[in-house]
Coordinates of all heavy atoms in Angstrom, one line a residue:
M6 N 112.8 109.7 135.4 CA 112.5 110.5 134.2 C 111.2 110.1 133.6 O 111.0 108.9 133.4 CB 113.7 110.2 133.2 CG 113.5 110.9 131.9 SD 115.0 110.5 130.9 CE 114.4 111.2 129.4
S7 N 110.3 111.0 133.4 CA 109.0 110.7 132.9 C 109.0 111.1 131.4 O 109.6 112.1 131.0 CB 107.9 111.5 133.6 OG 108.1 112.8 133.5
L8 N 108.2 110.4 130.6 CA 108.1 110.7 129.2 C 106.9 111.6 129.0 O 105.9 111.5 129.6 CB 107.8 109.4 128.4 CG 108.9 108.4 128.4 CD1 108.4 107.1 127.7 CD2 110.1 108.9 127.7
R9 N 107.1 112.6 128.2 CA 106.1 113.5 127.8 C 105.7 113.3 126.4 O 106.5 113.3 125.5 CB 106.6 115.0 128.0 CG 106.8 115.3 129.5 CD 107.0 116.7 129.7 NE 106.0 117.5 129.0 CZ 105.9 118.8 129.0 NH1 106.7 119.5 129.7 NH2 105.0 119.4 128.3
F10 N 104.4 113.0 126.2 CA 103.9 112.7 124.8 C 103.7 114.0 124.0 O 103.6 113.8 122.8 CB 102.7 111.9 124.9 CG 102.9 110.6 125.5 CD1 102.5 110.3 126.8 CD2 103.5 109.6 124.8 CE1 102.8 109.1 127.4 CE2 103.7 108.3 125.4 CZ 103.3 108.1 126.7
D11 N 103.8 115.1 124.5 CA 103.6 116.3 123.7 C 104.9 116.8 123.2 O 105.0 117.8 122.4 CB 102.9 117.4 124.5 CG 103.7 117.8 125.8 OD1 104.5 117.0 126.2 OD2 103.4 118.9 126.3
Q12 N 106.0 116.2 123.5 CA 107.3 116.6 123.0 C 107.5 116.0 121.6 O 107.1 114.9 121.3 CB 108.5 116.1 123.8 CG 108.5 116.7 125.2 CD 109.6 116.1 126.1 OE1 110.1 115.0 125.8 NE2 110.0 116.9 127.1
P13 N 108.1 116.8 120.6 CA 108.3 116.3 119.3 C 109.2 115.1 119.3 O 110.2 115.0 120.1 CB 108.8 117.5 118.5 CG 109.4 118.4 119.5 CD 108.6 118.1 120.8
K14 N 109.0 114.2 118.4 CA 109.9 113.0 118.2 C 111.2 113.5 117.6 O 111.2 114.3 116.7 CB 109.3 111.9 117.3 CG 108.1 111.3 117.9 CD 107.5 110.2 117.0 CE 106.3 109.6 117.5 NZ 105.8 108.6 116.6
K15 N 112.3 112.9 118.1 CA 113.6 113.3 117.6 C 113.9 112.2 116.5 O 113.7 111.1 116.6 CB 114.7 113.2 118.6 CG 114.5 114.4 119.6 CD 115.7 114.4 120.5 CE 115.5 115.6 121.4 NZ 116.6 115.7 122.4
C16 N 114.4 112.7 115.4 CA 114.8 111.9 114.3 C 116.2 111.3 114.6 O 117.1 112.0 114.9 CB 114.9 112.7 113.0 SG 115.2 111.8 111.5
W17 N 116.3 110.0 114.5 CA 117.5 109.3 114.9 C 118.5 109.2 113.7 O 119.6 108.7 113.8 CB 117.3 107.9 115.5 CG 116.5 107.0 114.6 CD1 115.1 106.9 114.5 CD2 117.0 106.1 113.6 NE1 114.8 106.0 113.6 CE2 115.9 105.5 113.0 CE3 118.3 105.8 113.2 CZ2 116.1 104.6 112.0 CZ3 118.5 104.9 112.1 CH2 117.4 104.3 111.6
F18 N 118.1 109.7 112.6 CA 119.0 109.7 111.4 C 119.0 111.1 110.8 O 118.0 111.9 111.0 CB 118.7 108.7 110.4 CG 117.3 108.8 109.8 CD1 117.2 109.5 108.6 CD2 116.2 108.3 110.3 CE1 116.0 109.7 108.0 CE2 115.0 108.5 109.8 CZ 114.9 109.2 108.6
E19 N 120.0 111.4 110.1 CA 120.1 112.7 109.4 C 119.0 112.7 108.3 O 118.9 111.8 107.5 CB 121.4 112.9 108.8 CG 121.6 114.3 108.1 CD 123.0 114.5 107.6 OE1 123.9 113.7 107.9 OE2 123.2 115.4 106.8
P20 N 118.2 113.7 108.2 CA 117.1 113.7 107.2 C 117.7 113.7 105.8 O 118.7 114.2 105.5 CB 116.4 115.0 107.4 CG 116.7 115.4 108.8 CD 118.1 114.9 109.1
L21 N 116.9 113.0 104.9 CA 117.3 112.9 103.5 C 116.9 114.2 102.8 O 115.9 114.8 103.0 CB 116.6 111.7 102.8 CG 116.9 110.4 103.4 CD1 116.1 109.3 102.7 CD2 118.4 110.0 103.3
S22 N 117.8 114.6 101.9 CA 117.5 115.8 101.1 C 116.4 115.5 100.0 O 116.1 114.3 99.8 CB 118.8 116.3 100.3 OG 119.1 115.3 99.3
E23 N 115.9 116.5 99.4 CA 114.9 116.3 98.4 C 115.4 115.4 97.3 O 114.8 114.5 96.7 CB 114.4 117.6 97.8 CG 113.5 118.4 98.8 CD 112.2 117.7 99.1 OE1 111.6 117.1 98.2 OE2 111.8 117.7 100.3
R24 N 116.7 115.7 96.9 CA 117.3 114.9 95.8 C 117.5 113.5 96.2 O 117.3 112.5 95.4 CB 118.7 115.6 95.4 CG 119.3 115.0 94.2 CD 118.5 115.2 93.0 NE 119.3 115.0 91.8 CZ 118.9 115.1 90.6 NH1 117.6 115.4 90.4 NH2 119.7 114.9 89.6
E25 N 117.9 113.2 97.5 CA 118.1 111.9 98.0 C 116.8 111.1 98.0 O 116.8 109.9 97.7 CB 118.8 111.9 99.4 CG 120.2 112.3 99.3 CD 120.8 112.7 100.6 OE1 120.1 112.9 101.6 OE2 122.0 112.8 100.7
L26 N 115.7 111.8 98.4 CA 114.4 111.2 98.3 C 114.0 110.8 96.9 O 113.4 109.7 96.7 CB 113.3 112.1 98.9 CG 113.4 112.2 100.5 CD1 112.5 113.3 100.9 CD2 113.1 110.9 101.1
E27 N 114.4 111.7 96.0 CA 114.1 111.4 94.5 C 114.9 110.1 94.1 O 114.3 109.2 93.4 CB 114.5 112.6 93.7 CG 114.2 112.5 92.3 CD 114.6 113.7 91.5 OE1 115.1 114.7 92.1 OE2 114.4 113.7 90.2
V28 N 116.1 110.1 94.5 CA 117.0 108.9 94.2 C 116.4 107.7 94.8 O 116.3 106.6 94.2 CB 118.4 109.1 94.6 CG1 119.3 107.9 94.4 CG2 119.1 110.3 93.8
L29 N 116.0 107.8 96.1 CA 115.5 106.6 96.8 C 114.2 106.1 96.1 O 114.0 104.9 96.0 CB 115.1 107.1 98.2 CG 114.7 106.0 99.2 CD1 115.8 104.9 99.3 CD2 114.5 106.6 100.6
K30 N 113.4 106.9 95.6 CA 112.2 106.5 94.9 C 112.6 105.7 93.6 O 111.9 104.7 93.3 CB 111.3 107.7 94.5 CG 110.6 108.2 95.7 CD 109.8 109.5 95.4 CE 109.2 110.1 96.7 NZ 108.6 111.4 96.4
L31 N 113.6 106.2 93.0 CA 114.1 105.5 91.8 C 114.8 104.2 92.1 O 114.7 103.2 91.4 CB 115.0 106.4 91.0 CG 114.4 107.6 90.3 CD1 115.4 108.5 89.7 CD2 113.4 107.1 89.2
L32 N 115.4 104.1 93.3 CA 116.0 102.9 93.8 C 115.0 101.8 94.0 O 115.2 100.6 93.8 CB 116.8 103.1 95.0 CG 118.1 103.9 94.9 CD1 118.7 104.1 96.3 CD2 119.1 103.2 94.0
R33 N 113.8 102.2 94.4 CA 112.7 101.3 94.6 C 112.2 100.6 93.3 O 111.6 99.6 93.3 CB 111.5 102.0 95.3 CG 110.4 101.1 95.7 CD 109.4 101.7 96.6 NE 108.8 102.9 96.0 CZ 107.8 103.6 96.6 NH1 107.3 103.1 97.7 NH2 107.4 104.7 96.1
S34 N 112.4 101.3 92.2 CA 112.0 100.8 90.9 C 112.9 99.7 90.4 O 113.9 99.4 91.0 CB 112.0 102.0 89.9 OG 113.3 102.3 89.6
E35 N 112.5 99.2 89.3 CA 113.3 98.1 88.7 C 114.4 98.7 87.7 O 115.1 97.9 87.0 CB 112.4 97.2 87.8 CG 111.4 96.5 88.7 CD 112.0 95.5 89.6 OE1 112.9 94.8 89.2 OE2 111.5 95.4 90.8
L36 N 114.6 100.0 87.7 CA 115.6 100.6 86.8 C 117.0 100.2 87.2 O 117.4 100.0 88.4 CB 115.5 102.1 86.9 CG 114.2 102.8 86.4 CD1 114.2 104.3 86.6 CD2 113.9 102.4 84.9
E37 N 117.8 100.1 86.2 CA 119.3 99.8 86.3 C 119.9 101.1 86.8 O 119.4 102.2 86.6 CB 119.9 99.3 85.0 CG 119.3 98.0 84.5 CD 119.7 96.9 85.4 OE1 120.8 96.9 86.0 OE2 118.9 95.9 85.5
R38 N 121.2 101.0 87.2 CA 121.9 102.2 87.7 C 122.0 103.3 86.6 O 121.8 104.5 86.8 CB 123.3 101.8 88.2 CG 123.3 101.2 89.5 CD 124.7 100.8 89.9 NE 124.7 99.4 89.9 CZ 125.8 98.7 90.0 NH1 127.0 99.3 90.0 NH2 125.8 97.4 90.0
S39 N 122.3 102.9 85.4 CA 122.5 103.9 84.3 C 121.1 104.5 84.0 O 121.1 105.7 83.6 CB 123.1 103.2 83.1 OG 122.2 102.1 82.6
E40 N 120.1 103.8 84.1 CA 118.7 104.3 83.8 C 118.3 105.3 84.9 O 117.7 106.3 84.6 CB 117.7 103.2 83.7 CG 117.9 102.3 82.6 CD 117.0 101.0 82.6 OE1 116.9 100.4 83.7 OE2 116.4 100.7 81.6
I41 N 118.7 105.0 86.1 CA 118.5 106.0 87.2 C 119.2 107.3 87.0 O 118.6 108.4 87.1 CB 118.8 105.4 88.6 CG1 117.9 104.3 88.9 CG2 118.9 106.4 89.7 CD1 118.2 103.5 90.2
A42 N 120.5 107.2 86.6 CA 121.3 108.4 86.3 C 120.6 109.2 85.1 O 120.5 110.4 85.2 CB 122.7 108.0 85.9
H43 N 120.1 108.5 84.1 CA 119.4 109.1 83.0 C 118.2 109.8 83.5 O 117.9 111.0 83.1 CB 119.1 108.1 81.9 CG 118.4 108.7 80.8 ND1 119.0 109.5 79.8 CD2 117.1 108.7 80.4 CE1 118.1 109.9 78.9 NE2 117.0 109.4 79.3
E44 N 117.4 109.2 84.4 CA 116.2 109.8 84.9 C 116.5 111.0 85.7 O 115.7 112.0 85.7 CB 115.4 108.8 85.8 CG 114.7 107.7 85.1 CD 113.5 108.2 84.3 OE1 112.8 109.1 84.8 OE2 113.3 107.8 83.1
L45 N 117.6 111.0 86.4 CA 118.0 112.2 87.2 C 118.7 113.3 86.4 O 119.0 114.3 86.9 CB 119.0 111.7 88.3 CG 118.4 110.7 89.3 CD1 119.5 110.2 90.2 CD2 117.3 111.4 90.2
H46 N 118.9 113.0 85.1 CA 119.6 113.9 84.2 C 121.0 114.3 84.8 O 121.4 115.4 84.8 CB 118.8 115.2 84.0 CG 117.4 115.0 83.6 ND1 117.1 114.6 82.3 CD2 116.2 115.1 84.3 CE1 115.8 114.4 82.2 NE2 115.2 114.7 83.4
S47 N 121.6 113.2 85.2 CA 123.0 113.4 85.8 C 123.9 112.3 85.4 O 123.4 111.3 84.8 CB 122.9 113.5 87.3 OG 122.6 112.3 87.9
V48 N 125.1 112.4 85.7 CA 126.1 111.3 85.4 C 126.0 110.2 86.5 O 125.5 110.5 87.6 CB 127.5 111.9 85.3 CG1 127.6 112.8 84.0 CG2 127.9 112.6 86.5
S49 N 126.5 109.1 86.2 CA 126.4 108.0 87.1 C 127.1 108.3 88.4 O 126.7 107.8 89.5 CB 127.1 106.7 86.4 OG 126.9 105.6 87.2
E50 N 128.2 109.1 88.4 CA 128.9 109.4 89.6 C 128.0 110.1 90.6 O 128.1 109.9 91.8 CB 130.2 110.2 89.3 CG 131.3 109.4 88.6 CD 131.0 109.2 87.1 OE1 130.2 110.0 86.5 OE2 131.6 108.3 86.5
H51 N 127.2 111.0 90.1 CA 126.3 111.8 91.0 C 125.3 110.8 91.6 O 125.0 110.9 92.8 CB 125.6 112.9 90.2 CG 126.4 114.0 89.8 ND1 126.1 114.9 88.8 CD2 127.7 114.4 90.2 CE1 127.1 115.7 88.6 NE2 128.0 115.5 89.5
R52 N 124.8 109.9 90.8 CA 123.8 108.9 91.3 C 124.5 108.1 92.4 O 123.9 107.9 93.5 CB 123.3 108.0 90.2 CG 122.2 107.0 90.7 CD 122.5 105.6 90.4 NE 123.8 105.1 90.1 CZ 124.5 104.4 90.9 NH1 124.1 104.0 92.0 NH2 125.7 104.0 90.5
A53 N 125.7 107.7 92.2 CA 126.5 106.9 93.2 C 126.7 107.7 94.5 O 126.6 107.2 95.6 CB 127.8 106.4 92.6
Y54 N 127.0 109.0 94.3 CA 127.2 109.8 95.5 C 126.0 109.9 96.3 O 126.0 109.7 97.5 CB 127.6 111.2 95.0 CG 127.7 112.3 96.0 CD1 128.8 112.4 96.9 CD2 126.7 113.2 96.2 CE1 128.8 113.3 97.9 CE2 126.7 114.1 97.2 CZ 127.8 114.2 98.0 OH 127.9 115.1 99.0
H55 N 124.8 110.2 95.7 CA 123.6 110.3 96.4 C 123.2 108.9 97.1 O 122.7 108.9 98.2 CB 122.4 110.7 95.5 CG 122.6 112.2 95.1 ND1 122.6 113.2 96.0 CD2 122.6 112.7 93.9 CE1 122.7 114.4 95.3 NE2 122.7 114.1 94.0
T56 N 123.4 107.9 96.3 CA 123.1 106.5 96.8 C 123.9 106.2 98.1 O 123.4 105.7 99.1 CB 123.4 105.5 95.7 OG1 122.5 105.8 94.6 CG2 123.0 104.1 96.2
Q57 N 125.2 106.5 98.1 CA 126.1 106.3 99.2 C 125.6 107.1 100.4 O 125.6 106.7 101.6 CB 127.5 106.5 98.9 CG 128.1 105.5 98.0 CD 127.9 104.1 98.5 OE1 128.2 103.8 99.6 NE2 127.5 103.2 97.6
N58 N 125.2 108.4 100.2 CA 124.7 109.2 101.2 C 123.4 108.6 101.9 O 123.2 108.6 103.1 CB 124.4 110.6 100.7 CG 125.6 111.5 100.6 OD1 126.7 111.1 101.1 ND2 125.5 112.5 99.8
I59 N 122.5 108.1 101.0 CA 121.3 107.5 101.5 C 121.6 106.3 102.3 O 121.1 106.1 103.4 CB 120.4 107.1 100.3 CG1 119.9 108.3 99.5 CG2 119.3 106.2 100.7 CD1 119.3 108.0 98.2
Y60 N 122.5 105.4 101.9 CA 122.9 104.2 102.6 C 123.5 104.6 104.0 O 123.1 104.0 105.0 CB 124.0 103.4 101.9 CG 123.5 102.7 100.6 CD1 124.4 102.0 99.8 CD2 122.2 102.8 100.2 CE1 124.0 101.4 98.7 CE2 121.8 102.2 99.0 CZ 122.7 101.5 98.2 OH 122.4 100.8 97.1
A61 N 124.3 105.6 104.0 CA 125.0 106.1 105.3 C 123.9 106.6 106.2 O 123.9 106.3 107.4 CB 126.0 107.1 105.0
K62 N 123.0 107.4 105.7 CA 122.0 108.1 106.6 C 121.0 107.0 107.1 O 120.5 107.2 108.3 CB 121.3 109.2 105.8 CG 122.1 110.4 105.6 CD 121.3 111.4 104.8 CE 122.2 112.7 104.6 NZ 121.4 113.7 103.9
L63 N 120.7 106.0 106.3 CA 119.8 105.0 106.8 C 120.4 103.8 107.5 O 119.8 102.9 108.0 CB 118.9 104.5 105.6 CG 118.0 105.5 104.9 CD1 117.3 104.9 103.7 CD2 117.0 106.1 105.9
G64 N 121.8 103.8 107.5 CA 122.5 102.7 108.2 C 122.4 101.4 107.5 O 122.3 100.4 108.1
V65 N 122.4 101.4 106.2 CA 122.3 100.2 105.4 C 123.5 100.1 104.4 O 124.2 101.1 104.3 CB 121.0 100.1 104.6 CG1 119.8 100.1 105.6 CG2 120.8 101.3 103.6
N66 N 123.6 99.0 103.6 CA 124.7 98.9 102.7 C 124.3 98.4 101.3 O 125.2 98.0 100.5 CB 125.8 98.1 103.3 CG 125.4 96.7 103.6 OD1 124.3 96.3 103.2 ND2 126.2 95.9 104.3
N67 N 123.0 98.4 101.0 CA 122.6 98.0 99.7 C 121.2 98.6 99.4 O 120.5 99.1 100.2 CB 122.6 96.5 99.5 CG 121.6 95.7 100.4 OD1 120.4 96.0 100.3 ND2 122.1 94.9 101.3
R68 N 120.9 98.4 98.1 CA 119.6 99.0 97.6 C 118.4 98.5 98.2 O 117.5 99.3 98.6 CB 119.6 98.8 96.1 CG 118.5 99.3 95.3 CD 118.6 99.0 93.8 NE 117.6 99.5 93.0 CZ 117.7 99.7 91.7 NH1 118.8 99.5 91.1 NH2 116.6 100.2 91.1
R69 N 118.3 97.2 98.3 CA 117.1 96.6 98.9 C 116.9 97.0 100.4 O 115.8 97.3 100.9 CB 117.1 95.1 98.9 CG 116.8 94.5 97.5 CD 116.7 93.0 97.5 NE 116.5 92.6 96.2 CZ 116.0 91.4 95.9 NH1 115.8 90.5 96.9 NH2 115.8 91.0 94.7
A70 N 118.0 97.0 101.1 CA 117.9 97.4 102.5 C 117.5 98.9 102.7 O 116.8 99.2 103.6 CB 119.2 97.1 103.2
A71 N 118.0 99.7 101.8 CA 117.6 101.1 101.8 C 116.1 101.3 101.6 O 115.5 102.1 102.3 CB 118.4 101.9 100.8
V72 N 115.6 100.6 100.6 CA 114.2 100.7 100.3 C 113.4 100.2 101.5 O 112.4 100.8 101.9 CB 113.8 100.0 99.0 CG1 112.4 99.8 98.8 CG2 114.5 100.7 97.8
R73 N 113.8 99.0 102.0 CA 113.1 98.4 103.2 C 113.0 99.4 104.4 O 112.0 99.6 105.0 CB 113.7 97.1 103.5 CG 112.9 96.2 104.4 CD 113.5 94.8 104.6 NE 114.2 94.3 103.5 CZ 115.5 94.1 103.5 NH1 116.3 94.2 104.6 NH2 116.1 93.6 102.4
R74 N 114.2 100.0 104.7 CA 114.3 100.9 105.8 C 113.5 102.2 105.5 O 112.8 102.6 106.4 CB 115.8 101.3 106.1 CG 116.0 102.3 107.2 CD 115.8 101.7 108.6 NE 116.5 100.5 108.8 CZ 117.7 100.3 109.2 NH1 118.5 101.3 109.4 NH2 118.2 99.0 109.4
A75 N 113.5 102.7 104.3 CA 112.7 103.9 104.0 C 111.2 103.6 104.1 O 110.5 104.5 104.6 CB 113.1 104.3 102.6
E76 N 110.8 102.4 103.7 CA 109.4 102.0 103.9 C 109.0 101.9 105.4 O 108.0 102.4 105.8 CB 109.1 100.8 103.1 CG 109.1 101.0 101.6 CD 109.0 99.7 100.8 OE1 109.2 98.6 101.4 OE2 108.7 99.8 99.6
E77 N 109.9 101.3 106.2 CA 109.7 101.2 107.6 C 109.5 102.6 108.2 O 108.7 102.8 109.2 CB 110.8 100.5 108.3 CG 110.9 99.0 108.0 CD 112.2 98.4 108.5 OE1 113.1 99.1 109.0 OE2 112.4 97.2 108.3
L78 N 110.3 103.6 107.7 CA 110.2 104.9 108.3 C 109.2 105.8 107.6 O 109.2 107.0 107.8 CB 111.6 105.6 108.1 CG 112.8 104.8 108.9 CD1 114.1 105.4 108.5 CD2 112.5 105.0 110.4
D79 N 108.4 105.3 106.7 CA 107.4 106.0 106.0 C 108.0 107.1 105.1 O 107.4 108.2 105.0 CB 106.3 106.6 106.9 CG 105.5 105.4 107.5 OD1 105.2 104.4 106.8 OD2 105.1 105.6 108.7
L80 N 109.2 106.9 104.6 CA 109.8 107.9 103.7 C 109.3 107.7 102.3 O 109.5 108.6 101.4 CB 111.3 107.8 103.8 CG 111.9 108.1 105.1 CD1 113.4 107.9 105.1 CD2 111.6 109.5 105.5
L81 N 108.8 106.5 102.0 CA 108.4 106.2 100.6 C 106.9 105.9 100.7 O 106.4 105.4 101.6 CB 109.1 105.0 100.0 CG 110.6 105.2 99.7 CD1 111.2 103.8 99.3 CD2 110.7 106.2 98.6

């Protein structure tokens, strides 16, 4: 099997939605969870929902790991 460099790269994780990227940028900040929810103009449960989706898609289980993985993947 030969590799072809003109083939598009396949993404090994499910792409993040625009909202999830917005949440991820806020996770990178020093804001507390309640402040992130306020910035998103949503309730804390929505923030938690998006955060859990981000963790699952990036294969991590905490805020720092999510930010680190996102930076490695040039998502931030």
Side-chain angles (χ1 to χ4, degrees):
M6 177 177 169
S7 64
L8 295 175
R9 293 191 47 177
F10 294 102
D11 59 342
Q12 293 176 339
K14 292 181 182 178
K15 291 187 178 179
C16 186
W17 57 269
F18 64 93
E19 185 179 345
L21 300 177
S22 69
E23 289 297 318
R24 187 64 161 179
E25 289 166 343
L26 287 171
E27 185 180 358
V28 172
L29 189 56
K30 288 175 186 173
L31 291 169
L32 290 175
R33 182 170 57 174
S34 72
E35 298 293 322
L36 295 175
E37 297 291 328
R38 286 181 247 166
S39 60
E40 294 170 314
I41 290 173
H43 179 75
E44 286 291 318
L45 295 170
H46 307 288
S47 70
V48 293
S49 185
E50 290 80 18
H51 291 160
R52 186 234 15 112
Y54 172 79
H55 291 300
T56 301
Q57 291 305 313
N58 283 344
I59 291 167
Y60 292 176
K62 289 179 179 183
L63 296 179
V65 298
N66 60 10
N67 65 60
R68 180 178 182 158
R69 284 187 180 197
V72 170
R73 197 172 326 118
R74 178 72 47 85
E76 289 172 345
E77 290 170 358
L78 297 170
D79 294 323
L80 297 175
L81 292 175

